[in-house]
Amino acid sequence: MDDLLTALLRRDTDVFQDLPQRRRELSRDLIAASLFTDRHGEPGAADGLWFEPALFMTRPTVLRRLVGVLGLLIPTGIDRLVGTEPGSLAIVSGLALETGLPFVALREIDGAWHAHGELHPGERVMVIEDVTNTGARLLSAARALTGSGATVVEARSVIDNDRGARDALAAAGVVFEPLFDLQDLLAQHENGGAR
């Protein structure tokens, strides 16, 4: 019994499910909640299939599972979470509640990023996005954070649409780890991963 209580106090939820199992269940939730068909020519559309992030972010059961998984993946030593408006605010808010880490919202106005909330020079931050395509928006946000004196330790998105974000961010020296990439989710869908 002490091992269970100790694990719970450490917020180690692997005593119930390990991380790979939680990710598999989350991927099924994302597919069931937000995968659509017949949207040709849209960013992130592959063979007419696309994800609508507003649908998985507005379902409390999916959002709770999502922030639970993301919370386990936050690197040690992060001082603050950063979410870009409007897409990732639900995620970063839930993640702040899950982890106790403060967050700041970045809003882009006329091509410039404005921080809403406290952001201090020297802070180590993790940037969260819902879906990435080319990575241009995430890279722009990371540069603005660095320009304000913060250190971007890592950037994450829930889904990477495989449109160049990984390469663009790596070339700029930004560590980027999507939770899922589009091709993996679509392959799971084709193999009956949706509920």
Side-chain angles (χ1 to χ4, degrees), residues 13 38-39 50 118 121 126 129 138-139 146 152 168 177 189:
T13 55
D38 299 328
R39 186 171 176 178
W50 58 285
E118 294 180 29
M126 178 175 168
E129 277 215 322
L138 192 52
L139 182 55
T146 302
V152 177
E177 293 292 333
H189 171 67

Side-chain angles (χ1 to χ4, degrees), residues 17-105:
Q17 288 180 315
D18 62 14
L19 184 57
Q21 184 178 3
R22 293 178 79 186
R23 284 175 55 103
R24 280 190 303 276
E25 287 186 7
L26 175 59
S27 67
R28 286 192 299 267
D29 286 347
L30 293 173
I31 291 167
S34 59
L35 181 64
F36 287 89
T37 59
D38 299 328
R39 186 171 176 178
H40 297 282
E42 292 291 327
D47 298 325
L49 298 172
W50 58 285
F51 282 89
E52 176 53 58
L55 293 178
F56 67 72
M57 288 187 295
T58 55
R59 293 190 181 193
T61 55
V62 177
L63 184 60
R64 185 178 299 119
R65 189 184 308 268
L66 173 61
V67 299
V69 169
L70 282 173
L72 296 173
L73 300 174
I74 295 175
T76 320
I78 293 295
D79 299 309
R80 190 169 306 272
L81 304 168
V82 178
T84 56
E85 289 189 7
S88 64
L89 286 189
I91 299 166
V92 78
S93 297
L95 196 52
L97 290 171
E98 174 79 10
T99 64
L101 287 169
F103 77 95
V104 65

Side-chain angles (χ1 to χ4, degrees), residues 43-45 51 131-133 159-164 180-183:
F51 282 89
V131 176
T132 49
N133 288 303
I159 301 171
D160 177 31
N161 279 327
D162 301 319
R163 294 189 170 261
F180 300 103
D181 74 23
L182 180 66
Q183 296 309 317

Side-chain angles (χ1 to χ4, degrees), residues 111-132:
W113 289 98
H114 301 273
H116 296 272
E118 294 180 29
L119 181 63
H120 305 286
E123 285 189 321
R124 296 168 45 84
V125 301
M126 178 175 168
V127 185
I128 310 291
E129 277 215 322
D130 53 356
V131 176
T132 49

